[in-house]
Structures are given as C-alpha cells and as structure tokens.
Amino acid sequence: MDRKGPIIRQYLADNHFRTISDNTYEHIEEWLEWYQNEVAKFHHYNIWNGIVTTKHERYRLGMAKTICEDWANLLLNEKVAIKAGNYSNRLNDILLYNKFRVNGNRLVERAFALGTGAFVEYKGADGEVLIDYVDADMIYPLSWDNGEITECAFGSVRVVDGKEAVYLQMHLLGDPEIGEQPDIYYLYNKYLDAEAGKELEPPETIVPVVNTGSREPLFQILTPNICNNVDMDSPLGISVFANAISQLKGCDIVYDSYINEFILGRKRVLIPISAAKMEMEKEGLKPPAFDPEETVYFMMPGDRQEDMKLTEIDMNIRANEHELGIQRSLDILSLKVGMGAGRYKFESGGVKTATEVISDKSDLYQNRQKHCLMVEDAILNMVRAVSFLDTGAAAEATIDFDDSIIEDSNATIDKNIKLVNAGLRSKVTAIMEINKCEPEEAEEELQRIAEDNQIDTGNVNWTDMEGEDEPEQEPDKKDKETKEEEKDRESKKPGKKSSKENKE
C-alpha cells in the first residue's frame, strides 16, 4: 500500500537530512503484506494440468496477524495499570480522551508486525494534549546514537483545499536556521504536494515552527526487543515474524493442501461418452479428468474405455495427516516468533490460543519480560511528555503489567501466606504484591483492617485462610453436659453428700 513514503524520503534527502536506506522500507512493505494476509507473489499461483495453465488462490491461516494480536494482548491489555501519583487522575483523563487503551494496544500490534511504532504528543488548537499513533512506514529517523533515535520525522496523508497532501512533522533539536537553543526540541510542520513532492504553504491554522521548550523528545519509539538482523545500521526494529517467513509459508501451504484435500477428494461418477453424448471442443481437446470445477459426473472419452459402465470414485481424505502437519507447522512458527512450542492448537478446523497460566521458566515468559522493557520505557516517557505539555513539568510514573497470565492469583496469595507465617515477609509487602499497590496504600489497608476489628495486625493468623470452622455443639446440649459435670465434681468433694444421702 503506497502511503507516499518515497515522496517524503526524497524531500528529506533533497534537504540534506540523514535518512536510513530504502531497503528497510522495502522489508516493511513485505511485512505489511503478510500482516494483511495478502502476499501476491505467494498467495496467487499457477498450475499446469497437462493441457492448460490454471490460476489458483492459496487458502491461508493468517497467522502473521494472529501472532501480533497475541503479543499485543500479552503486553498492553486492559489490566495494565499506569500510576503517576497525584497526577494519576489527570493522566487518566488525557489517556481516556486519546483512547489510549484501544489505540495503544493496536499500536503494539502493528509495531510487532511492521517492526516499529511511535507515540507522538502535541497540543491541539484548543490547548488539549493529543497523542498520535504512527506506523513504521511513516517514521523517518533523522539522527540517532547507539540505536536511540533523537530526531525524527513523522508523515501522514491530509486533504488541503480539496487536494491530497503529505503532512510532515519534524522533531529537531534547536533551530538550524538561527542556531538557537541547540538542546531544545522544535517542531517543524511541512506540507508537500502528494504528486510532485514540492513544499506547499501550510494552512492558516498551522504554525510552521514551534518551540516546545522541552529537552526531552515529544515522541517515543516502540519496537520488539529483538536485534535487527535485516539492516544492522538501522535504528528501526524488525517484525516479530521477520525471521519466520518460511514458517508462515509452511502453515499456509499445508492448510491449502488440507482444504484442497476435501475439494479434490469429493465423490465422482464416471460415465461413458456414449451415454453423455459430449460434444468435442473446437480445439479437439477434452477437459482434464479431475478438474475441480466439474460436478459429480465426469464424461470419459470413448477411446479410453469403450466398455466402461457407470463407475463410482470415492477417494479417501487424508484429514489426520494434514491436521498433524498443520500442528507441526504451528509449533515451529510459534517457537520462531518467541511464543514457545505449543502456544497454538489446530482444533475444530481453526487455530486456538492456549489460555493456561504461563510458566516463569518458559520461552514465552522470558520473551514477554524482555518485550515489556521496551513497552514500559515507551509508556513512561510518553507520560513525561504528556505531563510536560499539560503542566510544564514532567511527571514520574510506574507501570504494573498484567501478571495474572504468568502466575495464578490464588497461587500468589498462598505464597505470601506461607512467607508471612514463616517470618520471611512483612504483612505490608504481602498486601502490596497481592493487591498490586504502593507501600502507602498497603499501610492504609492494614490500618483499615485493624480499625474494622477484622483481624489483629499484631497477631495475624495467616495460616487459617481456608476451610470452615468446626461445627459447634448445640447450646442447650452443651450447657446440659456442663451442668452434669459440675454436679459430679461437687459430689466428690470432701464433706459433700450426694443428693441421695441428703434425702436419707
């Protein structure tokens, strides 16, 4: 899909900006085709049937998008909590306004598909803080150091005065024209002709140059935490399936054969030509014996079997062999994209994702923790940029990822009970881990428990958490037994007489 990338790269080169090679963007186009599940040179093919060449379209599983969706759900789902102290409420309002929960998850998905994504923050015309979510093919690094992009341009397609134009937003350190404040970021808003690539006058509502006053970039680059072995010098990342293209092809080839097994293996009935009175084609050629477009009946030429009668052909379907082949292909693909073997199951004619708790010793757990580092860094810096644009000061934040997929909540509670009971962990720390809260919140929770007289904070029985109390005896029966026991003890005391003796 052409998104005016060549026009932007040519403009940057003409204005003496350092850019990365076009080879990187060619790979991005290839990854985009797999993500869109439409690779023309692979999913469309020709077959020679002995008489003519026929065109075919391959059936496909679409695993490239499934993998990226899976990674996005593992990394940035609805349970991820972003906390920024006193600024949390305001931050949540800004994130809600920018639909961060939805768009952030989608950006992670596309970043893992295309290798790179970006958050870009700026102020709107009414002073509101806005967040853009930019894909890899619209990201153009201008300067970088040790793989970290310090200056960058972001493109998009706009309509100006009824005509299509390319909007280019450039984040540069200092003003190169007058040389002021080399450590402050400036935003340069450019509009280019979508056809010729020439620079246009920006709309009246757009300020050509904006001094942000920020020493930190108002953009964050997000990539999978894997080394770029496609272009070693590029600061952009690579797709999570960049080194698994062969495995993606394998899945589609086996699945295509699986579907065609049912199409080509359907029941047929051969009938002699004399019975069908089939007319010869103009070229004198007969249709192939197993043309998929034929229906139940097929007319055999008389020179092949003159004495042939109605003959039924019922081919065996190799379903089990194909299903085993699909499962093996999925296991290899899952391993190549960092999910570990066994992540996907081919059941009931479709691919299902395993939902069991992830072991902390598995490949998936280790790769997820590695990718979390990149996601966390991007979001924390995004919060700093958002708070700076909103208040003039950068706010610090913390992120709690969804660990329920790694460890069951009941297992976490049981572990803390045992540690506290053994004297190896404080109650405050246990509450922090169970409730996913800060130390102050844990202290307040422990104090509330004490004030409600639910438990004694100084003498907590952390082991008595499960099961029911033993049933108590009925009050009347218990009181009766107690009174009888007291009478017996009184009668056995020295100087005491039994009730029988008193009567005598």
Side-chain angles (χ1 to χ4, degrees), residues 11 15 166 189-193 196-202 208:
Y11 172 82
N15 286 270
V166 177
N189 298 305
K190 304 288 185 180
Y191 278 80
L192 310 177
D193 185 273
K198 296 181 179 180
E199 189 169 345
L200 304 174
E201 287 293 328

Side-chain angles (χ1 to χ4, degrees), residues 163-176:
K163 296 182 179 180
E164 191 177 70
V166 177
Y167 169 57
L168 189 64
Q169 186 183 80
M170 304 168 63
H171 294 242
L172 301 176
L173 282 167
D175 189 332

Side-chain angles (χ1 to χ4, degrees), residues 51 266-276 278 281 285-302 304-305 308-313:
I51 299 177
R266 63 190 177 184
K267 182 180 294 186
R268 306 246 182 179
V269 177
L270 300 182
I271 61 175
I273 190 171
S274 58
M278 182 185 72
E281 296 181 0
L285 300 175
K286 281 79 176 178
F290 290 97
D291 185 349
E293 296 181 357
E294 293 293 336
T295 56
V296 174
Y297 295 102
F298 181 82
M299 296 154 285
M300 285 293 292
R304 297 189 181 180
Q305 278 188 317
M308 185 189 71
K309 299 179 180 179
L310 289 177
T311 305
E312 180 179 338
I313 296 181

Side-chain angles (χ1 to χ4, degrees), residues 3 20 24-25 28 31 106-119 133-141 147 149 152 154 219-226 228 234-240 374:
R3 297 173 73 174
I20 60 178
T24 297
Y25 293 98
I28 291 175
W31 301 331
R106 292 177 178 176
L107 180 69
V108 173
E109 178 183 328
R110 297 194 302 271
F112 272 64
L114 306 181
T116 311
F119 300 109
Y133 308 87
V134 186
D135 294 337
D137 56 344
M138 288 287 106
I139 300 174
Y140 305 92
I149 300 174
C152 195
F154 303 95
F219 64 87
Q220 299 78 40
I221 302 298
L222 176 63
T223 67
N225 196 2
I226 51 180
N228 186 342
S234 173
L236 298 180
I238 61 172
S239 171
V240 73
M374 304 297 288

Side-chain angles (χ1 to χ4, degrees), residues 307-321:
D307 58 344
M308 185 189 71
K309 299 179 180 179
L310 289 177
T311 305
E312 180 179 338
I313 296 181
D314 191 2
M315 295 184 177
N316 294 324
I317 304 296
R318 300 169 298 169
N320 292 335
E321 291 84 349

